[in-house]
């Protein structure tokens, strides 16, 4: 048996384990990077504890609670920012059971104003039964709001 065959036939890790959480979060990051909204809808639970600092002047930041709404945030962000200027780096990826915390830096340019934003971020995700049930993003919301202001 080859290593590839063993990996393909091995049962998935039990829900709630760090390995399972890490795998789901990696799938989420890959889908987000690829702009695969359908896959993100599959990865988000039907009901999601979504938290992002209230920022009424930013069109892609709004309350969300369903998997489809959460997955749509990526497309909304892309529609309002310049793709060539979008950057994100991941410095830390911590997993403890069902919870994952990612930290890094992000930057971009708002299409309507031509203004840039940048700053650190922290993202807390919780994975239950193979789906993301919590998405709490902490970012430099002031920088983003200023970039959206004409």
């Amino acid at each position: 048996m080859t290593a590839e065959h063993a990996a393909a036939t091995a049962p998935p890790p039990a829900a709630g384990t760090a390995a399972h959480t890490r795998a789901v979060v990696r799938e989420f990051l890959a889908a987000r990077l690829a702009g695969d909204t359908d896959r993100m809808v599959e990865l988000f639970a039907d009901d999601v504890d979504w938290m992002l600092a209230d920022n009424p002047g930013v069109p892609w930041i709004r309350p969300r609670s369903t998997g489809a709404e959460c997955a749509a945030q990526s497309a909304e962000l892309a529609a309002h920012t310049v793709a060539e200027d979008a950057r994100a780096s991941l410095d830390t990826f911590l997993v403890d059971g069902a919870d994952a915390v990612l930290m890094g830096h992000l930057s971009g340019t708002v299409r309507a104003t031509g203004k840039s934003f940048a700053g650190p971020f922290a993202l807390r995700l919780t994975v239950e039964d193979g789906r993301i049930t919590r998405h709490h993003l902490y970012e430099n919301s002031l920088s983003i709001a200023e970039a959206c202001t004409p």
Side-chain angles (χ1 to χ4, degrees):
M1 178 183 302
T2 66
E4 292 83 14
H5 182 265
T9 58
T17 67
H20 182 69
T21 298
R22 185 176 297 276
V24 171
V25 171
R26 284 187 174 149
E27 283 186 56
F28 167 72
L29 293 173
R32 175 107 190 192
L33 186 61
D36 187 346
T37 303
D38 291 337
R39 181 65 182 133
M40 284 189 285
V41 170
E42 293 171 357
L43 290 169
F44 277 113
D46 295 338
D47 295 307
V48 180
D49 175 8
W50 174 276
M51 189 180 75
L52 191 54
D54 213 11
N55 209 336
V58 181
W60 62 89
I61 296 178
R62 61 181 176 79
R64 298 166 194 272
S65 61
T66 69
E69 289 172 342
C70 295
Q73 192 267 345
S74 180
E76 292 171 18
L77 172 64
H80 292 282
T81 57
V82 178
E84 299 80 21
D85 293 347
R87 303 278 183 274
S89 63
L90 186 60
D91 304 325
T92 305
F93 186 168
L94 305 170
V95 177
D96 183 16
D99 294 307
V101 175
L102 295 85
M103 294 181 285
H105 290 82
L106 56 81
S107 63
T109 301
V110 175
R111 186 180 313 279
T113 64
K115 294 181 180 180
S116 296
F117 59 88
F121 76 88
L123 174 60
R124 179 182 180 192
L125 300 169
T126 300
V127 175
E128 298 175 279
D129 297 324
R131 298 179 79 194
I132 298 168
T133 59
R134 177 183 305 153
H135 181 287
H136 289 187
L137 179 62
Y138 308 91
E139 61 186 2
N140 186 347
S141 56
L142 178 59
S143 174
I144 296 168
E146 288 174 345
C148 288
T149 304

